[in-house]
Amino acid sequence: MSSNKKYWKSVEELNENSSIVETLRNNEFVEEIPTDQFLGDEASLSSSSTTRRDFLKYVGFTTAAATLAACEGPVHKTIPYVVQPDQIIPGVADYYATTMFDGFDFANLLIKTREGRPIKIENNTIAGAKFAANARVHASVLSLYDSMRLKNPKIAGKDATWNEVESKIRSAVADAKAKGKQVVLLTNTLASPSTEKLIADFLAKNPGAKHVIYDAVSESAALDAFEAVYGERALVDYDFSKASTIVALNADFLGDWQGGSFDAGYAKGRIPQNGKMSKHFQFEANMTLSGAAADRRVAMSVASQKQALVKIYNVVTGSSIATGKVENEAEVMKAAQQLKAAGSKGLLVSGIQDKNAQLLVLAINQVLKSEAAVVTGARQIRKGSNEKVAQLIADMNAGSVHALIMSGVNPVYTLANSKGFVDGLNKVPVSVAFSLREDETVEKSKVAAAVPHYLESWNDHSLTKGTYSLVQPTIRPLFKTKQFQEILMALNGIPGSYYDYLKANSAAYISGSSWNQVVHDGVFAAGAVASVGGTADYASAANALAATKANAGFELNLYTKTGLGDGQQANNPWLQEFPDPITRVSWDNYLTVSNADAKKLQLENSIVANGGLNGSYATIKLGAITMKVPVIVQPGQAVGTVGLALGYGRKAALKEEMQVGVNAYSLYNGFNDVQIVDVTKAEGEHEFACVQSQKTLMGRGDIVKETTLTIFNTAKDSQEWNELPMVSLDHKEVEATKVDLWESFDRSVGHHFNLSIDLNACTGCGACVIACHAENNVPVVGKSEVRRSRDMHWLRIDRYYSSQDTFAEDNEKKENFDGLFGEKGSLGGFGQMEHPADNPQVVFQPIMCQHCNHAPCETVCPVAATSHGRQGQNQMAYNRCVGTRYCANNCPYKVRRFNWFLYNNNDEFDYHMNDDLGRMVVNPDVNVRSRGVMEKCSMCIQKTQLTILTAKREGREVAVNEFATACSSACTTGAMQFGDVNNKENKIASLAEDKRAYHLLEHVGTKPNVVYQVKVRNI
């Protein structure tokens, strides 16, 4: 029997006269499908000969297609595919090989895309792809979705069309010809054969035109020296894996020195094999990543380093150039003698910005016949000329430049004599700035030309002689942008697209391969090309360097931080929140001062009640420039020197939260990174966002274990340097790992994942931290939250200083404590160990969830939100979590993070996850966590499961070493190795059983699945 009962959804339906109810009954689709937004207007549709069916067949609309077609940000309204494109499978990632080069950073990459969106950067590991991504390159995918990008061209600050821009540039070039004035192309180092050919054609068609190359952070001294010896502007491509003795003066080669990317080769020689490892001496003023990794680090001013370099030159070459006495001369002579003894296995590098110093570097390596100083295949990534930039500014101010066309540079921000440049720019009738953002130079230019991101572009690069790399787009341009090369083609009268030009031009560089193959691989290696050998007047260079005298005042050493580099990506929140590996401070730059100088100037750092770090302000005076800067008291800073990072202090095209720090470029006079300044204390106290308050290891030898190469080689038993902790069981001492509170089950069946971290290979570079951010949708919380110890990084890199000169002396002091009070009392002794030595040893230790097989977090969770997986991972069920934080309290490693707020789509946290464009970087395989839940490293379970499913779908076993996490894939040095320990062919299986292997806090009995390798020092 049917029922006449009436069901209704709302009270409104009971009103029979409601027009809204009637409309809803008769119209299934309440809101019209917005076809005009992507199909065009009615007039254009009616004039089209394409049928509706054909149109939908070819255009099959998706979110990705909407992004490509609309070019105005994310699309909220979509129509399903009619015919699904073969190359896009929903839920399956596609990878495209490309190359990144922005004039400062460079790398050979694979770009992971999902449904047309680039979301993650991986390293290209094909043969010939030698440059891996650093932290900034990993973060560059987020810069693609920067909501403050320049979205269309502008003339005089008003929106314009590209035809208008092209017409204005064309007429400016013609006017310059007619008036006999200059047209100047001012670019960064291009390292692009096709672009350089276009520029050469432009210069040939316009005889009065010039091309000036400008690098914001100059390597002109090294370029000048190389040019004097080998006849071309390039840099030596050092292979540190071939050096057994390394001596570095003011060269942070594990950082940004001469472009970086030396860490992989360096790490190969740092892992003890067959009883040997390389010996590394570092002479520097600032504490750097290279200094932290060195076996022997000597804090020394650059003025003293110049004298030291001459002494090394004397020892190696047998010369007798007179030099003054330098501090730590015994260390200098020891390094020089060991370098000479190493012969072809020796290597000297230097970052001293002095042509004479760089000539001596080339001379010393020539005499050594160093295998590591690779002159064949020289680097093409820096070609700027300080002299030509200075001449350009003079010409602009003299009124002889009619048109200035800039690409890839921001001289209004990065030039020390910015005022001189701006004054000259105002005298140039037509100034055009091709830029990704409306930066400081764009604001002062008459024409703003919006360029696409490298992930939206075609291009080529020759990063070293003999290699050819391609840049291919992984997404259609999001905005109304054009490449600089397209405008050059138009000015040169070359028809077609830049893609066609690039493809035709590539034939000269890819002999023996095909265009499609090189696009697929991303790089083609034709073979190293030798530079023409030569010599120079090295004796005169040594004499000039020996005449260097120290100046009165503080020696300011300018450098680039691991996070922001030269400042191009200052609007990238991942990089702003990235803690500096040395100071562990984010969201700031600061003046680093030695403890001795801080006491003299009464500068202080203090930890306040909420755990935040506060610091004094100092005033820096250089000529007419006065700058107020916060201070970090930096262990290892050379007395009489201070350090300050470039890349901060920007205002234009940045969100308010990113406008932090001071602009140190204003102190970069003459492109010299060493300046003599006056430093005085200023009023006020600065609040830092520092994620690591502890200063030392405090004798906790079971967290970081280390030994010397001598002990490592001579000890009869590894227990002598990798001691197993003992506990009491039935009044007997037994190994802690053999005592359990829990019963174990058989883990030998199926996969069992482990992660190995080699403390010898880890340089603290932080690439793993940013890769983890990108893979796992880790939120950015901002400076004030970081200051409250609420950072959300799933992976942190702890930095430990020794309180004595070495960690061994730390342990000796700890072991000699006798009682609580007195000179050897433990109470006062541990307090002293909180204070680092003036020149401490340094250890970097990546820490993430240890995925304990006997996890203390799992036993205290009242709702079983955290549990152990069959494959060894400690898992989180976010929907079950009620935020008690018991698990965080019970975790001995302090790796769990609590979502105090909803960081996604929250105006209080106005970073990338608060706007539609920024959220395009979100990885759909990982859920975005909500407020009130715990989160932490998942050992990239989404990646391990994808690997298993891929192998299953292909009907095969998982290949050896196929498993990877975001951090292990990003690690350029091989410090992180991930895999299945049950497959004995995997690297991880042997590493877990290696005699250097140990676990953190083994005496607690947590049985982690993360294993560390004991650090060995060659001292």
Side-chain angles (χ1 to χ4, degrees):
M1 178 179 175
S2 62
S3 171
N4 292 322
K5 184 185 289 186
K6 182 177 181 179
Y7 295 92
W8 44 274
K9 297 178 183 177
S10 69
V11 176
E12 183 72 23
E13 287 188 45
L14 299 179
N15 181 1
E16 295 181 357
N17 298 320
S18 171
S19 59
I20 295 175
V21 171
E22 188 63 27
T23 302
L24 290 172
R25 281 176 183 160
N26 297 325
N27 189 359
E28 179 183 355
F29 301 103
V30 181
E31 189 175 348
E32 286 190 21
I33 297 174
T35 53
D36 58 321
Q37 292 184 17
F38 54 89
L39 299 182
D41 56 24
E42 186 176 350
S44 63
L45 280 176
S46 61
S47 63
S48 171
S49 60
T50 305
T51 66
R52 173 181 176 277
R53 179 179 294 277
D54 285 341
F55 181 80
L56 291 177
K57 182 191 298 180
Y58 291 116
V59 178
F61 202 75
T62 66
T63 302
T67 304
L68 309 186
C71 300
E72 294 170 1
V75 174
H76 300 284
K77 303 159 186 172
T78 64
I79 300 174
Y81 286 117
V82 174
V83 176
Q84 178 179 308
D86 293 337
Q87 68 272 24
I88 295 179
I89 303 174
V92 176
D94 290 308
Y95 291 85
Y96 298 89
T98 191
T99 305
M100 187 270 195
F101 180 69
D102 63 4
F104 189 74
D105 292 310
F106 51 92
N108 303 114
L109 308 172
L110 293 177
I111 308 301
K112 178 183 179 181
T113 67
R114 282 293 301 269
E115 290 77 54
R117 295 178 295 116
I119 63 168
K120 178 82 168 40
I121 284 173
E122 303 281 1
N123 289 317
N124 189 348
T125 56
I126 196 169
K130 59 185 294 185
F131 298 118
N134 60 21
R136 294 185 298 272
V137 175
H138 277 287
S140 65
V141 67
L142 181 58
S143 295
L144 167 67
Y145 303 117
D146 184 350
S147 60
M148 299 194 74
R149 278 179 56 186
L150 187 58
K151 297 177 176 64
N152 53 268
K154 295 182 179 182
I155 297 177
K158 295 182 179 178
D159 291 349
T161 65
W162 277 107
N163 286 337
E164 292 170 335
V165 169
E166 187 182 316
S167 176
K168 190 167 185 67
I169 296 173
R170 197 184 295 276
S171 62
V173 173
D175 289 348
K177 254 187 193 175
K179 295 175 181 177
K181 292 196 173 183
Q182 295 179 20
V183 175
V184 179
L185 302 179
L186 178 64
T187 73
N188 59 352
T189 298
L190 297 166
S192 168
S194 296
T195 310
E196 287 167 358
K197 187 168 185 279
L198 282 172
I199 289 176
D201 292 346
F202 177 81
L203 298 181
K205 291 178 186 296
N206 302 279
K210 291 182 179 178
H211 179 210
V212 177
I213 301 174
Y214 165 51
D215 295 323
V217 180
S218 175
E219 290 290 351
S220 199
L223 292 166
D224 293 343
F226 193 94
E227 189 173 23
V229 176
Y230 297 104
E232 63 175 314
R233 290 185 78 72
L235 297 171
V236 179
D237 187 28
Y238 298 98
D239 185 352
F240 283 81
S241 68
K242 295 180 179 177
S244 63
T245 301
I246 301 163
V247 178
L249 292 93
N250 207 45
D252 183 17
F253 56 83
L254 296 179
D256 296 330
W257 174 77
Q258 295 192 1
S261 290
F262 299 111
D263 46 357
Y266 174 79
K268 287 179 183 176
R270 298 299 292 168
I271 298 172
Q273 292 178 337
N274 301 320
K276 294 181 180 180
M277 62 181 285
S278 61
K279 182 71 175 279
H280 174 192
F281 295 89
Q282 185 83 11
F283 300 89
E284 61 184 15
N286 295 341
M287 174 67 83
T288 66
L289 292 180
S290 302
D295 296 304
R296 183 59 186 158
R297 178 186 182 272
V298 179
M300 182 183 285
S301 68
V302 173
S304 294
Q305 289 175 42
K306 290 180 179 180
Q307 298 289 338
L309 182 56
V310 178
K311 289 182 182 294
I312 295 171
Y313 174 78
N314 283 342
V315 171
V316 173
T317 65
S319 302
S320 54
I321 307 296
T323 61
K325 188 170 179 62
V326 296
E327 195 176 348
N328 295 303
E329 185 159 345
E331 292 287 349
V332 174
M333 298 309 292
K334 180 181 177 183
Q337 288 155 4
Q338 292 196 22
L339 183 64
K340 183 178 181 179
S344 63
K345 294 295 183 182
L347 174 64
L348 176 84
V349 294
S350 176
I352 298 173
Q353 293 301 310
D354 185 309
K355 180 181 176 181
N356 292 319
Q358 294 301 325
L359 282 170
L360 292 195
V361 171
L362 295 175
I364 290 167
N365 287 326
Q366 281 180 353
V367 171
L368 292 170
K369 297 182 180 177
S370 174
E371 296 174 14
V374 184
V375 179
T376 55
R379 290 188 171 203
Q380 310 287 309
I381 46 88
R382 300 283 187 274
K383 290 197 174 181
S385 170
N386 298 347
E387 290 75 15
K388 289 183 179 179
V389 173
Q391 184 60 51
L392 169 63
I393 296 171
D395 290 346
M396 289 164 60
N397 280 286
S400 58
V401 178
H402 182 78
L404 178 65
I405 303 172
M406 297 169 281
S407 174
V409 294
N410 185 8
V412 174
Y413 165 66
T414 58
L415 274 175
N417 56 337
S418 177
K419 185 179 184 304
F421 183 86
V422 173
D423 290 343
L425 197 62
N426 292 333
K427 296 175 184 176
V428 175
V430 180
S431 54
V432 184
F434 284 82
S435 177
L436 200 62
R437 302 169 186 83
E438 203 162 356
D439 58 29
E440 291 80 357
T441 300
V442 171
E443 288 182 339
K444 300 290 183 182
S445 301
K446 295 175 176 64
V447 179
V451 299
H453 191 270
Y454 79 92
L455 292 174
E456 304 167 308
S457 310
W458 281 103
N459 206 358
D460 61 359
H461 291 300
S462 179
L463 301 177
T464 59
K465 290 178 71 175
T467 63
Y468 184 75
S469 305
L470 279 177
V471 181
Q472 67 167 314
T474 55
I475 187 172
R476 287 271 185 91
L478 296 172
F479 307 113
K480 296 174 183 176
T481 56
K482 267 196 177 184
Q483 289 184 239
F484 174 55
Q485 292 87 346
E486 294 178 78
I487 299 300
L488 281 176
M489 287 178 64
L491 295 176
N492 291 345
I494 300 172
S497 66
Y498 183 52
Y499 167 82
D500 298 326
Y501 181 88
L502 193 68
K503 185 175 180 181
N505 197 45
S506 69
Y509 305 100
I510 59 172
S511 177
S513 187
S514 66
W515 168 259
N516 285 344
Q517 188 64 48
V518 178
V519 170
H520 174 272
D521 295 347
V523 64
F524 174 75
V529 180
S531 298
V532 178
T535 186
D537 188 357
Y538 298 129
S540 295
N543 278 305
L545 206 63
T548 304
K549 289 188 174 14
N551 293 305
F554 279 92
E555 184 184 275
L556 170 65
N557 287 262
L558 300 169
Y559 67 100
T560 54
K561 279 178 69 174
T562 306
L564 281 199
D566 65 347
Q568 289 187 59
Q569 295 192 73
N571 203 40
N572 191 313
W574 286 351
L575 294 177
Q576 288 281 11
E577 191 145 299
F578 173 74
D580 181 76
I582 300 293
T583 63
R584 309 293 289 133
V585 173
S586 60
W587 293 98
D588 252 319
N589 65 340
Y590 33 76
L591 195 70
T592 55
V593 183
S594 70
N595 188 48
D597 289 328
K599 286 179 179 176
K600 287 180 188 174
L601 297 170
Q602 297 182 317
L603 302 171
E604 296 178 343
N605 285 154
S606 58
I607 297 173
V608 294
N610 68 353
L613 180 70
N614 287 6
S616 305
Y617 279 103
T619 300
I620 306 174
K621 193 171 188 307
L622 175 62
I625 300 172
T626 302
M627 187 180 292
K628 185 179 179 181
V629 191
V631 169
I632 288 286
V633 180
Q634 176 61 58
Q637 185 78 32
V639 176
T641 71
V642 291
L644 183 61
L646 301 165
Y648 288 79
R650 290 189 57 189
K651 304 293 181 187
L654 263 68
K655 290 184 177 181
E656 186 178 352
E657 294 85 350
M658 315 291 181
Q659 297 175 21
V660 296
V662 297
N663 183 7
Y665 280 112
S666 59
L667 304 170
Y668 193 32
N669 286 350
F671 299 97
N672 195 337
D673 57 7
V674 177
Q675 302 288 333
I676 305 303
V677 298
D678 293 324
V679 180
T680 55
K681 184 176 182 178
E683 292 298 317
E685 191 174 50
H686 186 79
E687 295 185 345
F688 289 105
C690 182
V691 298
Q692 181 164 315
S693 298
Q694 64 264 36
K695 304 294 193 301
T696 70
L697 187 64
M698 268 192 69
R700 289 168 287 189
D702 51 354
I703 294 178
V704 170
K705 291 187 179 183
E706 66 165 48
T707 187
T708 65
L709 184 61
T710 303
I711 296 173
F712 178 78
N713 288 333
T714 58
K716 293 180 180 178
D717 188 348
S718 61
Q719 281 268 25
E720 293 181 33
W721 48 267
N722 187 9
E723 186 179 356
L724 278 172
M726 309 295 283
V727 296
S728 176
L729 178 65
D730 295 332
H731 306 289
K732 295 178 183 177
E733 272 199 342
V734 296
E735 293 177 5
T737 53
K738 294 182 178 177
V739 180
D740 282 332
L741 294 178
W742 295 272
E743 289 185 9
S744 295
F745 59 88
D746 183 13
R747 302 183 189 279
S748 62
V749 179
H751 302 295
H752 188 191
F753 297 116
N754 269 205
L755 175 67
S756 171
I757 300 174
D758 195 325
L759 300 183
N760 263 51
C762 178
T763 64
C765 72
C768 54
V769 175
I770 302 298
C772 176
H773 251 290
E775 175 69 30
N776 294 298
N777 303 330
V778 177
V780 174
V781 301
K783 181 176 179 178
S784 63
E785 290 299 297
V786 172
R787 184 171 164 78
R788 292 180 173 90
S789 303
R790 293 177 179 174
D791 63 290
M792 295 299 295
H793 296 100
W794 283 15
L795 164 62
R796 71 177 191 263
I797 304 179
D798 284 345
R799 177 268 302 131
Y800 292 107
Y801 293 137
S802 59
S803 66
Q804 306 297 307
D805 287 338
T806 66
F807 282 99
E809 290 175 12
D810 277 1
N811 289 332
E812 186 180 339
K813 180 171 183 174
K814 179 192 70 172
E815 288 163 6
N816 287 331
F817 288 155
D818 185 11
L820 295 177
F821 305 100
E823 288 185 8
K824 292 188 176 181
S826 60
L827 288 181
F830 275 116
Q832 291 167 12
M833 292 183 77
E834 281 292 332
H835 303 291
D838 289 335
N839 187 23
Q841 285 187 339
V842 185
V843 176
F844 295 113
Q845 186 176 49
I847 303 281
M848 68 291 289
C849 174
Q850 302 292 293
H851 296 272
C852 310
N853 288 318
H854 292 167
C857 57
E858 296 169 10
T859 56
V860 295
C861 181
V863 291
T866 181
S867 59
H868 211 69
R870 187 66 184 81
Q871 296 169 344
Q873 291 138 320
N874 175 255
Q875 300 171 350
M876 279 295 305
Y878 298 123
N879 276 7
R880 293 186 67 90
C881 180
V882 294
T884 62
R885 291 180 287 150
Y886 294 164
C887 56
N889 291 334
N890 216 38
C891 174
Y893 308 105
K894 301 306 168 193
V895 289
R896 289 176 164 263
R897 303 288 177 260
F898 181 67
N899 283 271
W900 291 92
F901 301 97
L902 180 66
Y903 303 110
N904 165 45
N905 202 22
N906 185 341
D907 290 341
E908 293 297 319
F909 299 91
D910 190 15
Y911 307 109
H912 70 288
M913 294 176 82
N914 191 46
D915 61 69
D916 292 335
L917 194 62
R919 280 196 291 270
M920 287 178 72
V921 83
V922 168
N923 182 1
D925 292 332
V926 179
N927 135 2
V928 175
R929 283 75 61 189
S930 187
R931 181 184 182 184
V933 302
M934 298 297 302
E935 60 180 76
K936 50 96 204 173
C937 163
S938 67
M939 218 175 248
C940 289
I941 190 169
Q942 70 280 2
K943 289 174 70 71
T944 56
Q945 294 310 300
L946 175 63
T947 303
I948 293 168
L949 292 172
T950 300
K952 184 177 180 180
R953 188 175 66 246
E954 295 174 359
R956 59 175 177 83
E957 290 186 359
V958 176
V960 174
N961 300 318
E962 186 178 357
F963 287 112
T965 57
C967 56
S968 67
S969 296
C971 185
T972 58
T973 63
M976 291 182 172
Q977 297 288 339
F978 176 80
D980 177 10
V981 291
N982 286 342
N983 183 343
K984 298 308 176 185
E985 295 181 23
N986 283 342
K987 287 181 185 176
I988 189 66
S990 58
L991 287 170
E993 301 297 328
D994 189 81
K995 63 180 181 178
R996 286 203 294 137
Y998 75 98
H999 296 96
L1000 293 190
L1001 304 178
E1002 283 177 305
H1003 58 276
V1004 177
T1006 54
K1007 299 206 171 186
N1009 282 317
V1010 178
V1011 59
Y1012 292 83
Q1013 307 294 320
V1014 172
K1015 186 173 182 67
V1016 181
R1017 295 186 188 271
N1018 191 358
I1019 54 175

